[in-house]
Amino acid sequence: MNDDILTGHLQELRRGTVVMAALATLSRPTYGYALLETLAEAGFAVDANTLYPLLRRLEKQGLLTSEWNTEESRPRKFYRVSPDGETLLRALLDEWRTLHASIEGLR
Amino acid sequence: MATHQTTTTGRSAASLTDRYVHAATRGLPDSQRDDVADELRASIGDRAEALQHAEGLDAERAEYVALEELGDPARLAAGYSGRALQLIGPELYPAYVRVLRSVLLAAVPTVAVVIAIIAALDGGSAGSILGETLWIAATVALHVCFWITLAFALTERGVAAGDVRGSLGVQWAPDQLPDLPRERSGSLLEMVSTLVWLGLLAGAVVWQQFRSPLGDHEPVLDPDLWSFWLPLILALILVEAAFEVVKYRAAGWSPTLATVNVGLGALFAAPLVYLAAEDRLLNPAAVAEVQAEWSGFDPETLNAAIIVVTLAIWVWDGVDGWLKTRAASAAA
């Protein structure tokens, strides 16, 4: 199996987990670029042009709250997970664990 | 929100970032635009700063690379606004192809035949008739492609009302499944080619009256026949065309259709054979024209040939129908 196939399938597998990773990270208020770096370090390489609109979408769905912080060198928008977002994260994690258990059972 | 920048050069000295942010947020509603723009500007600044520290780039180069990484602002704008980045997506594509194919097959040959007949009535050489027919058929095909694509692109963007979605066949149902191709049954090619041939035949009957190549446009067939016989033949051509459509819709040949086919053939052949036998078919003036050019021309021979060819075509067509019927029932 060549590396392209492996990379492709891993990307496919991670695609749905970016939302989980973002919700999990945002228990602490974080701004867009910092979140991008944090996720990349944790192995969730996501493109900036995917992540920034995604944060907006999650906020629109009431899963994140945001606040402008103007104390730093440049004004930044900090996102934080909302109670609804935490509920969703728990549901996603439950599903994640269930899937993992199912697949282990199938092997 | 307009910002007036006074610069020494007199030209807008907006930075690359400003231009990028403007391009990415242009399509957003006013209520969101400034907020998204401010955040995007900060994110670009953050990334450029990180590049300066990590890669040792100068400020200008870092800004350039940061924007390059972000990619086409149109993609980002689509992400913010939730617009589709495709004309017709995978959800609609199968229905799009289905509708396009069926409309093209229905519209283009029909229009081509009608135009060919009208062009023949107007007169003109065979070349000009063919040219006009092809040109208009191509135009119709282009229009069909354009309007159907537009309808589906609008549907993709969620602006099509429910009844439009329904009429476009977007919701697939098992009823839409095509029949299995049966051996030589309901051949579309057979129908279209026969219809085109019948159209040409009807066109020829009309064309010879107005644009005959003989003499001073002397009709080949006796003009007196227009009082009854020629309209009857044109009507029979229409009946033949209708029969062809019925046969296609009925998914091919059956004993009933084969019988009807023989009967229709007889109806079609009878007037021709009768008129030729009575020497009433040809226009005497046209015969005189030909004889002036070629003294050996004998209308009797031509009448005999017409009778033989007509009967041969009738027999061949009738037998062909029965053979196809047998093949179809054997395959079923």
Side-chain angles (χ1 to χ4, degrees):
Chain A
M1 185 184 67
N2 65 31
D3 280 354
D4 283 355
I5 296 179
L6 176 67
T7 313
H9 282 285
L10 284 176
Q11 256 177 354
E12 199 65 32
L13 182 63
R14 288 194 190 123
R15 186 163 297 162
T17 57
V18 167
V19 171
M20 262 198 311
L23 290 173
T25 316
L26 290 172
S27 50
R28 295 172 306 281
T30 312
Y31 58 94
Y33 183 68
L35 178 63
L36 193 73
E37 298 249 87
T38 310
L39 290 179
E41 280 163 28
F44 288 93
V46 50
D47 286 336
N49 60 11
T50 306
L51 183 70
Y52 298 157
L54 175 70
L55 289 172
R56 293 268 165 178
R57 205 156 47 242
L58 294 176
E59 184 186 14
K60 215 173 181 171
Q61 294 173 338
L63 305 166
L64 299 177
T65 55
S66 69
E67 209 175 314
W68 279 95
N69 177 332
T70 51
E71 293 159 21
E72 300 279 324
S73 56
R74 58 168 63 93
R76 293 187 180 114
K77 194 167 185 161
F78 279 71
Y79 291 92
R80 186 185 185 147
V81 71
S82 73
D84 272 1
E86 290 192 26
T87 311
L88 177 74
L89 178 60
R90 273 197 298 277
L92 290 175
L93 284 170
D94 282 347
E95 180 66 12
W96 171 258
R97 278 188 281 269
T98 311
L99 284 173
H100 182 255
S102 304
I103 290 181
E104 285 299 323
L106 288 170
R107 290 179 61 186
Chain B
M1 198 178 76
T3 52
H4 294 286
Q5 293 179 315
T6 47
T7 60
T8 48
T9 58
R11 286 179 53 201
S12 154
S15 69
L16 275 183
T17 301
D18 289 334
R19 284 155 59 190
Y20 188 96
V21 168
H22 173 73
T25 57
R26 203 171 33 186
L28 292 173
D30 292 351
S31 54
Q32 299 172 32
R33 193 181 306 130
D34 291 344
D35 197 70
V36 172
D38 290 344
E39 187 188 16
L40 192 54
R41 208 171 277 115
S43 299
I44 294 166
D46 282 330
R47 177 61 188 159
E49 211 168 86
L51 284 167
Q52 277 172 285
H53 289 307
E55 317 274 330
L57 304 173
D58 62 50
E60 203 175 331
R61 180 72 194 146
E63 179 190 36
Y64 189 91
V65 173
L67 294 177
E68 202 170 34
E69 285 177 352
L70 262 180
D72 192 333
R75 252 201 73 184
L76 199 55
Y80 280 125
S81 63
R83 272 195 304 269
L85 273 178
Q86 60 220 6
L87 193 62
I88 293 164
E91 278 296 300
L92 294 181
Y93 187 76
Y96 167 68
V97 173
R98 226 175 10 246
V99 171
L100 192 58
R101 186 187 298 136
S102 56
V103 175
L104 280 176
L105 282 174
V108 177
T110 314
V111 170
V113 168
V114 170
I115 293 297
I117 291 172
I118 291 174
L121 285 175
D122 278 352
S125 67
S128 74
I129 293 173
L130 185 69
E132 189 176 356
T133 306
L134 286 178
W135 171 247
I136 295 197
T139 310
V140 168
L142 196 67
H143 268 281
V144 167
C145 291
F146 173 80
W147 292 108
I148 288 179
T149 305
L150 182 69
F152 272 92
L154 291 176
T155 308
E156 176 72 54
R157 279 145 191 76
V159 297
D163 51 348
V164 174
R165 293 183 78 90
S167 69
L168 289 175
V170 173
Q171 282 300 327
W172 183 86
D175 310 324
Q176 297 175 10
L177 282 171
D179 278 339
L180 284 180
R182 277 183 298 179
E183 194 65 32
R184 314 185 64 168
S185 71
S187 157
L188 185 71
L189 183 69
E190 193 176 278
M191 175 180 75
V192 171
S193 55
T194 311
L195 287 181
V196 168
W197 148 243
L198 287 171
L200 290 174
L201 190 63
V205 169
V206 178
W207 170 80
Q208 61 81 34
Q209 173 67 32
F210 299 101
R211 288 280 157 181
S212 158
L214 298 176
D216 188 16
H217 296 314
E218 199 56 70
V220 179
L221 304 178
D222 196 333
D224 291 351
L225 295 175
W226 281 107
S227 59
F228 172 71
W229 290 104
L230 288 180
L232 173 73
I233 286 172
L234 288 178
L236 285 171
I237 288 176
L238 269 181
V239 174
E240 284 271 9
F243 169 78
E244 209 52 42
V245 175
V246 168
K247 176 163 69 85
Y248 174 73
R249 297 291 298 269
W253 288 94
S254 66
T256 317
L257 287 174
T259 312
V260 171
N261 184 49
V262 173
L264 271 180
L267 272 181
F268 202 86
L272 280 175
V273 171
Y274 165 73
L275 292 171
E278 295 282 309
D279 194 19
R280 289 176 52 191
L281 191 61
L282 299 173
N283 181 6
V287 171
E289 284 281 353
V290 176
Q291 279 170 333
E293 296 287 321
W294 173 36
S295 54
F297 175 72
D298 179 11
E300 284 302 316
T301 318
L302 185 56
N303 279 325
I306 290 172
I307 292 171
V308 170
V309 169
T310 305
L311 290 176
I313 288 179
W314 171 48
V315 171
W316 173 78
D317 184 58
V319 170
D320 184 55
W322 276 106
L323 286 178
K324 283 178 173 164
T325 304
R326 277 187 41 195
S329 62

